[in-house]
Amino acid sequence: METERERIFREIYEDNIGRLYQYVLRRIGDVNYTEDTLQEVAVALLFHLNDFLPGYPNNTKRIQKWLFGVAENKIKHFWRKHYRIFESEVSTELIPELASERDEISDVELMLPDWLTEMNRKLIFMRCKGYNLKEIADMMGISHGACRMRSIRLTEQLKKYF
């Protein structure tokens, strides 16, 4: 027979797992890491369930906000950990390769407007070469969000220009 505590845990988990899964998957981009992260969130909920029992079910919004906060912290931890791995795997030998690849598309660059900054030219170049925004952000030394916003704004500017 299921205890009241187990029932409440199951209800909270089932009510929030779908939205949490989508949120974490969008932020991490890998199903396996997403599932691992959600398991960590579930364990955190299990440990802190007693904090939420007194007001349940009237505090479901508070619980949901807390769960997403825990998920956000787990996502940040994931990227801190994996950014270090990515950084250590990148060889300095890539830099000359990028320079030679850049020469191959110099004709495309000639058609770009003069008002583009060097960083924006680099972003366009890397997107043309097939890099995703996370890879570009890492190589340019900026956050993924900053790279994404720069890409969006740049696209809008180029649409107006052309």
Side-chain angles (χ1 to χ4, degrees), residues 61-159:
K61 291 291 184 193
R62 181 175 155 241
I63 294 169
Q64 186 179 45
K65 185 177 178 180
W66 182 84
L67 286 170
F68 276 87
V70 171
E72 180 65 27
N73 288 335
K74 300 294 181 187
I75 291 166
K76 287 177 184 175
H77 176 73
F78 168 84
W79 282 117
R80 278 193 301 268
K81 177 181 171 186
H82 286 82
Y83 179 77
R84 283 190 213 114
I85 292 169
F86 176 78
E87 200 174 45
S88 67
E89 289 175 351
V90 172
S91 167
T92 55
E93 297 168 5
L94 282 177
I95 295 168
E97 288 177 34
L98 286 175
S100 66
E101 288 176 1
R102 184 178 176 103
D103 294 339
E104 294 173 15
I105 63 164
S106 60
D107 293 341
V108 174
E109 280 192 309
L110 292 176
M111 295 187 312
L112 293 176
D114 294 334
W115 49 263
L116 284 176
T117 64
E118 183 59 33
M119 188 174 258
N120 286 343
R121 287 177 182 275
K122 185 177 179 181
L123 192 145
I124 292 169
F125 165 73
M126 294 170 90
R127 289 294 285 177
C128 290
K129 289 311 239 174
Y131 291 99
N132 66 40
L133 289 177
K134 175 68 177 130
E135 293 169 326
I136 294 170
D138 290 341
M139 287 186 235
M140 293 176 77
I142 59 177
S143 72
H144 178 263
C147 186
R148 182 175 170 273
M149 285 309 299
R150 183 180 298 264
S151 177
I152 291 169
R153 289 180 183 137
L154 184 56
T155 302
E156 291 301 314
Q157 290 173 342
L158 289 173
K159 279 181 186 176

Side-chain angles (χ1 to χ4, degrees), residues 19-66:
R19 289 184 299 275
L20 279 169
Y21 182 85
Q22 292 300 319
Y23 177 75
V24 174
L25 183 60
R26 276 194 311 269
R27 302 288 304 278
I28 291 179
D30 182 89
V31 173
N32 293 325
Y33 288 122
T34 297
E35 290 171 357
D36 291 345
T37 302
L38 289 176
Q39 185 175 7
E40 292 176 20
V41 171
V43 168
L45 174 61
L46 194 57
F47 280 115
H48 293 274
L49 188 60
N50 289 338
D51 298 340
F52 301 115
L53 289 178
Y56 188 80
N58 298 329
N59 59 355
T60 55
K61 291 291 184 193
R62 181 175 155 241
I63 294 169
Q64 186 179 45
K65 185 177 178 180
W66 182 84

